[in-house]
């Protein structure tokens, strides 16, 4: 039935925005000032942290929680034990069927410990619980109050097992993410002291002032603007500056305003290239001089600029002056103003991972959803927009750039392993179910929303969502409300069925029969999840027309998605009725084919019954 497809997907942009803000919304604020001294031989480091915490909540806070992520990389940690018990462990973390964490020696494991901690100068009681530090404050922080927490800490960078660590498989010395004592987020739901078991983060918005001291041979890249480029050099200096350094170490001073995390990476052999975009950020690239891949890293640079332009145009302007693509880690992971990606890749794969991680700058590092609870909003939305971006910048010209996501979702449904998207990211029974749910089903949330409200309205929704919720913590209801405001439709049914249940969509053509000079079509709803329907009718003479059946509980209808075809808008279909009948203005003998949803953007789990074809 491929020839019947009349799929059009047009991405519009440049729609003007109104700024809206929920009057009762609040969020906490942090100002970090940190120094860290890294011993590049032992991979041990010590640091100081001055954290000014502003309590914008309506509540008095008697205790606070910090994340100590590196404690996950110890034999017997929750991360290690989970790895040993889950049916489909992450291959990167396994070696010969064994958890790589379980075999780490004292000198290879990770740790992060608070050595001292004061609140406004007074010592406080603190206790480590695995990857969480629980702090009983000396005096409660009142609503609207500020307090200064000063800590000294020491850490050891683990062998690279997952995301951060030392000596990655590609030989990157230091991938420093999740490396500092990080204040846990307190929001309208309360504290989020999630232990570091597998994945996904939630952080407090604020400003970071970080000084990193290490061997002067190392080049550092990551989050933040370097404050002392002419003392540092390493490709940061003003062109023509002669950089003179004394001693064995350098102290790098970074400032990162309005972010919720801080990552850095360092290696003595990094090549450091920069690309100044016109009206845009400066792009930085840090990568190893691997002769096999160095050419790909050069070709990656203009593609990175193209991706930046694409996202700024289609979501909203990138708000920082810098973005860094850094080789490190173990795949790809997004951070504030930067990403860590593995670099020994074919060109297409290198562009693909850069595009995905850069898209996270919007869907996580600007629109900071709680990933642990709603991974579909960052991984899914990122997958959606990266598919569009790849289609354009790599000239893939796919008719349906989201096809892979639909395939994955159908495979998950058929596996019987699906769990609702409301499941905490760490508590899916399988990594498979988490992955498809977060990435594929999350991407379909948007592509299918485009089917429901129309593609123009979808892009308008994404842009308004960005304008209204940038630098905040949007929730699932926020994207739904935005789509409702843009489309004029009621969409609660969509959010609840798609994200809170495992209900599936299955509509079918039940019968097609002659009805005088017309043709009577009976449709049935087999799945529990409701949807509006687009129906394409193709005549034997090649004519095409469409019929549209709005869903009653939408209380609205979309514009004609196929403006070149005549569309008949039929009566709405109320969900409780299992069947629906309508007439086509064409005698049965002239009908060649009838198809439900020619765009295939509606995730109908059984495509077989979506098509009627006259006997050849
Ligand atoms: Zn991602």
């Amino acid at each position: 039935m491929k020839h019947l497809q009349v799929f059009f997907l047009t991405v519009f942009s440049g729609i003007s925005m109104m700024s809206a803000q929920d009057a009762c919304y609040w969020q906490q604020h942090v100002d970090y000032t940190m120094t860290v001294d890294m011993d590049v031989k032992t991979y041990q480091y010590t640091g100081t942290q001055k954290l000014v915490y502003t309590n914008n909540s309506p509540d008095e806070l008697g205790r606070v929680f910090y994340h100590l992520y590196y404690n996950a990389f110890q034999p017997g940690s929750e991360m290690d034990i989970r790895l040993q018990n889950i049916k489909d462990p992450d291959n990167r973390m396994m070696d010969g069927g064994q958890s790589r964490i379980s075999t780490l020696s004292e000198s290879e494991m990770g740790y992060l410990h608070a050595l001292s901690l004061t609140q406004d100068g007074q010592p406080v009681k603190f206790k480590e619980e695995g990857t969480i530090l629980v702090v009983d404050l000396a005096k409660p922080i009142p609503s609207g109050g500020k307090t200064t927490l000063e800590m000294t800490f020491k850490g050891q960078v683990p062998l690279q097992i997952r995301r951060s660590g030392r000596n990655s498989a590609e030989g990157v010395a230091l991938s420093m993410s999740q490396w500092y004592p990080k204040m846990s987020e307190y929001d309208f739901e309360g504290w989020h002291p999630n232990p570091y078991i597998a994945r996904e983060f939630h952080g407090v918005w604020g400003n970071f002032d970080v000084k990193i001291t290490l061997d002067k041979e190392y080049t550092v890249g990551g989050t933040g603007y370097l404050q002392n480029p002419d003392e540092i050099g390493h490709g940061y200096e003003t062109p023509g500056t002669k950089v003179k350094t004394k001693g064995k170490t350098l102290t790098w001073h970074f400032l990162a305003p309005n972010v919720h995390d801080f990552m850095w990476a360092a290696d003595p052999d990094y090549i450091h290239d920069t690309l100044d975009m016109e009206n845009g950020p400066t792009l930085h690239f840090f990568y190893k001089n691997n002769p096999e891949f160095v050419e790909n890293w050069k070709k990656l640079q203009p593609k990175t600029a193209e991706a930046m332009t694409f996202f700024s145009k289609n979501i909203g302007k990138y708000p920082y002056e810098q973005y860094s693509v850094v080789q490190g880690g173990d795949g790809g992971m997004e951070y504030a103003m930067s990403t860590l990606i593995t670099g020994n890749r074919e060109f297409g794969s290198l562009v693909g991972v850069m595009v995905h991680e850069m898209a996270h700058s919007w869907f996580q590092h600007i629109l900071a959803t709680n990933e642990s609870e709603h991974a579909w909003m960052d991984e899914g939305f990122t997958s959606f927009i990266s598919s569009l971006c790849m289609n354009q910048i790599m000239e893939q010209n796919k008719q349906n750039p989201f096809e892979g996501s639909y395939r994955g979702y159908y495979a998950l449904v058929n596996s019987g392993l699906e769990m609702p998207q409301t499941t905490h990211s760490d508590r899916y029974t399988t990594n498979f179910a988490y992955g498809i749910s977060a990435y594929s089903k999350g991407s379909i949330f948007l592509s299918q929303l485009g089917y429901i409200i129309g593609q123009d309205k979808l892009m308008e929704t994404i842009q308004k969502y960005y304008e209204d919720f940038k630098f905040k913590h949007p929730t699932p209801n926020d994207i739904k409300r935005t789509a409702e405001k843009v489309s004029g439709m009621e969409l609660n049914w969509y959010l609840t069925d798609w994200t809170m249940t495992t209900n599936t969509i299955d509509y079918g053509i039940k019968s097609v029969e002659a009805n005088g000079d017309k043709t009577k079509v009976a449709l049935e709803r087999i799945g529990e999840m409701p949807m509006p329907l687009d129906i394409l009718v193709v005549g034997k003479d090649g004519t095409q027309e469409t019929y549209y059946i709005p869903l009653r509980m939408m209380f609205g209808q979309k514009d004609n998605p196929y403006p070149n075809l005549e569309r008949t808008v039929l009566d709405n279909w109320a969900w409780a009725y299992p069947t629906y009948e309508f007439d086509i203005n064409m005698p049965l003998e002239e009908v060649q084919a009838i198809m439900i949803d020619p765009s295939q953007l509606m995730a109908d789990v059984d495509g077989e019954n979506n098509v009627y074809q006259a006997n050849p």
Side-chain angles (χ1 to χ4, degrees):
M1 297 309 292
K2 276 248 154 62
H3 62 287
L4 281 181
Q5 286 187 16
V6 282
F7 176 86
F8 301 102
L9 187 80
T10 320
V11 176
F12 286 86
S13 67
I15 292 144
S16 71
M17 289 306 142
M18 285 194 321
S19 183
Q21 190 176 351
D22 185 344
C24 38
Y25 180 82
W26 52 267
Q27 67 189 20
Q28 305 295 64
H29 180 87
V30 285
D31 287 295
Y32 286 95
T33 307
M34 294 193 275
T35 65
V36 56
D37 241 299
M38 174 64 71
D39 181 334
V40 298
K41 294 220 164 60
T42 62
Y43 297 96
Q44 291 174 350
Y45 59 103
T46 53
T48 64
Q49 181 187 76
K50 180 179 163 193
L51 197 166
V52 180
Y53 186 84
T54 309
N55 178 14
N56 293 318
S57 83
D59 311 313
E60 184 178 89
L61 301 177
R63 62 177 180 171
V64 300
F65 299 88
Y66 290 81
H67 297 274
L68 304 172
Y69 291 112
Y70 274 180
N71 293 344
F73 301 101
Q74 296 171 5
S77 71
E78 278 196 82
M79 186 182 270
D80 179 30
I81 301 303
R82 177 65 174 159
L83 203 50
Q84 295 180 34
N85 286 292
I86 196 163
K87 251 185 287 178
D88 56 344
D90 187 327
N91 281 332
R92 288 169 289 198
M93 303 168 75
M94 303 295 285
D95 188 14
Q98 223 177 359
S99 149
R100 285 175 59 214
I101 301 177
S102 70
T103 58
L104 290 174
S105 70
E106 286 279 325
S107 63
E108 294 169 333
M109 67 170 66
Y111 61 74
L112 182 56
H113 300 308
L115 300 174
S116 67
L117 182 56
T118 62
Q119 178 193 12
D120 298 327
Q122 275 180 275
V124 293
K125 267 194 265 171
F126 55 91
K127 188 182 170 208
E128 257 182 41
E129 301 268 15
T131 57
I132 298 294
L133 186 74
V134 187
V135 179
D136 291 318
L137 294 172
K139 58 176 195 301
I141 319 167
S143 170
K146 259 185 206 209
T147 203
T148 302
L149 296 155
E150 288 187 86
M151 189 192 288
T152 56
F153 60 88
K154 67 169 184 180
Q156 179 167 287
V157 188
L159 273 187
Q160 200 280 327
I161 303 281
R162 189 69 184 94
R163 300 188 183 93
S164 58
R166 73 207 214 203
N167 304 323
S168 75
E170 297 180 350
V172 174
L174 288 162
S175 300
M176 297 296 289
S177 54
Q178 296 96 29
W179 60 275
Y180 60 94
K182 183 178 178 182
M183 179 60 71
S184 170
E185 181 59 303
Y186 182 84
D187 61 20
F188 72 104
E189 294 176 311
W191 284 105
H192 295 277
N194 288 309
Y196 191 24
I197 295 174
R199 58 174 70 89
E200 304 304 353
F201 305 93
H202 189 41
V204 192
W205 281 105
N207 303 310
F208 287 70
D209 179 322
V210 181
K211 286 187 178 136
I212 300 161
T213 302
L214 82 172
D215 185 315
K216 72 175 176 189
E217 298 303 316
Y218 284 61
T219 302
V220 179
T223 308
Y225 307 118
L226 186 64
Q227 298 301 297
N228 52 345
D230 291 345
E231 289 167 29
I232 293 289
H234 286 274
Y236 286 94
E237 70 276 19
T238 323
T241 312
K242 263 254 176 261
V243 180
K244 282 192 216 116
T245 55
K246 281 182 281 185
K248 290 196 165 97
T249 61
L250 279 175
T251 297
W252 301 62
H253 183 197
F254 292 98
L255 287 184
N258 217 7
V259 293
H260 54 81
D261 201 7
F262 190 99
M263 178 281 284
W264 59 283
D267 193 273
D269 302 321
Y270 270 149
I271 296 172
H272 176 198
D273 292 334
T274 58
L275 192 164
D276 281 313
M277 288 181 64
E278 219 181 301
N279 315 314
T282 300
L283 305 177
H284 291 252
F285 299 86
F286 301 87
Y287 54 101
K288 303 278 284 190
N289 191 2
N290 179 338
E292 224 183 307
F293 298 101
V294 86
E295 197 51 42
N296 286 349
W297 275 83
K298 295 286 180 199
K299 277 159 57 191
L300 176 70
Q301 298 173 22
K303 287 291 170 202
T304 307
E306 280 182 58
M308 178 62 77
T309 303
F310 181 92
F311 295 135
S312 280
K313 189 175 155 205
N314 287 288
I315 313 171
K317 195 174 175 359
Y318 181 74
Y320 305 103
E321 287 158 30
Q322 182 182 305
Y323 185 79
S324 299
V325 182
V326 187
Q327 186 179 0
D330 57 7
M333 182 66 193
E334 69 276 14
Y335 301 102
M337 304 166 67
S338 59
T339 178
L340 281 178
I341 60 174
T342 48
N344 297 351
R345 294 167 178 264
E346 296 303 319
F347 182 59
S349 161
L350 189 64
V351 175
V353 70
M354 172 279 292
V355 161
H356 178 96
E357 303 312 335
M358 183 196 275
H360 272 302
S361 289
W362 283 261
F363 297 117
Q364 187 47 31
H365 284 283
I366 303 171
L367 294 154
T369 47
N370 180 340
E371 295 179 298
S372 313
E373 291 182 0
H374 319 295
W376 60 276
M377 291 184 77
D378 65 290
E379 293 305 349
F381 292 8
T382 288
S383 299
F384 168 84
I385 204 75
S386 340
S387 300
L388 286 180
C389 178
M390 286 297 280
N391 214 35
Q392 178 167 317
I393 73 168
M394 296 301 276
E395 289 160 28
Q396 294 174 331
N397 300 316
K398 287 184 192 160
Q399 202 174 24
N400 180 352
F402 315 110
E403 217 181 344
S405 297
Y406 286 82
R407 261 203 313 274
Y409 168 65
Y410 298 142
L412 175 61
V413 169
N414 292 328
S415 73
L417 296 170
E418 191 188 5
M419 296 168 75
Q421 287 179 315
T422 47
T423 307
H424 187 288
S425 295
D426 280 335
R427 289 196 279 289
Y428 280 84
T429 306
T430 58
N431 281 321
F432 168 67
Y434 159 78
I436 301 289
S437 173
Y439 291 74
S440 307
K441 198 182 179 190
S443 172
I444 298 171
F445 178 90
L446 288 183
S447 54
Q448 188 168 251
L449 181 63
Y451 167 77
I452 298 167
I453 66 175
Q455 300 303 332
D456 298 358
K457 294 282 196 296
L458 170 67
M459 296 317 290
E460 209 182 316
T461 296
I462 290 170
Q463 289 162 18
K464 181 172 168 53
Y465 173 62
Y466 176 80
E467 273 309 311
D468 291 352
F469 298 101
K470 59 187 177 186
F471 304 113
K472 294 180 185 167
H473 292 306
T475 64
N477 200 54
D478 292 327
I479 184 72
K480 184 213 74 171
R481 286 294 293 132
T482 307
E484 286 181 337
K485 288 173 189 174
V486 168
S487 68
M489 291 182 191
E490 302 307 316
L491 296 166
N492 212 40
W493 58 274
Y494 183 54
L495 184 70
T496 51
D497 271 58
W498 190 253
T499 71
M500 301 178 197
T501 76
T502 54
N503 288 351
T504 53
I505 300 160
D506 183 13
Y507 283 89
I509 298 172
K510 199 175 175 195
S511 63
V512 177
E513 54 195 47
N515 186 15
D517 59 352
K518 295 182 175 183
T519 300
K520 183 181 286 300
V521 179
L523 302 174
E524 58 184 334
R525 178 182 60 73
I526 302 153
E528 292 302 325
M529 180 161 174
M531 285 297 271
L533 298 181
D534 283 336
I535 293 149
L536 175 70
V537 176
V538 182
K540 287 188 174 150
D541 60 358
T543 55
Q544 297 188 358
E545 59 173 329
T546 67
Y547 290 80
Y548 174 50
I549 309 175
L551 177 69
R552 183 178 288 176
M553 61 181 128
M554 292 188 327
F555 299 102
Q557 49 181 266
K558 68 174 168 185
D559 296 336
N560 185 357
Y562 309 109
N564 298 327
L565 300 183
E566 196 188 310
R567 177 176 82 157
T568 306
V569 178
L570 300 168
D571 284 345
N572 62 47
W573 184 346
W575 171 79
Y577 299 88
T579 57
Y580 183 99
E581 283 183 358
F582 70 102
D583 279 335
I584 295 172
N585 295 317
M586 196 187 277
L588 178 62
E589 56 275 15
E590 287 179 21
V591 175
Q592 173 60 42
I594 303 170
M595 186 184 199
I596 296 175
D597 179 28
S599 74
Q600 299 185 10
L601 291 176
M602 180 176 90
D604 190 312
V605 295
D606 180 6
E608 293 282 303
N609 58 14
N610 287 17
V611 179
Y612 160 86
Q613 244 187 320
N615 292 332

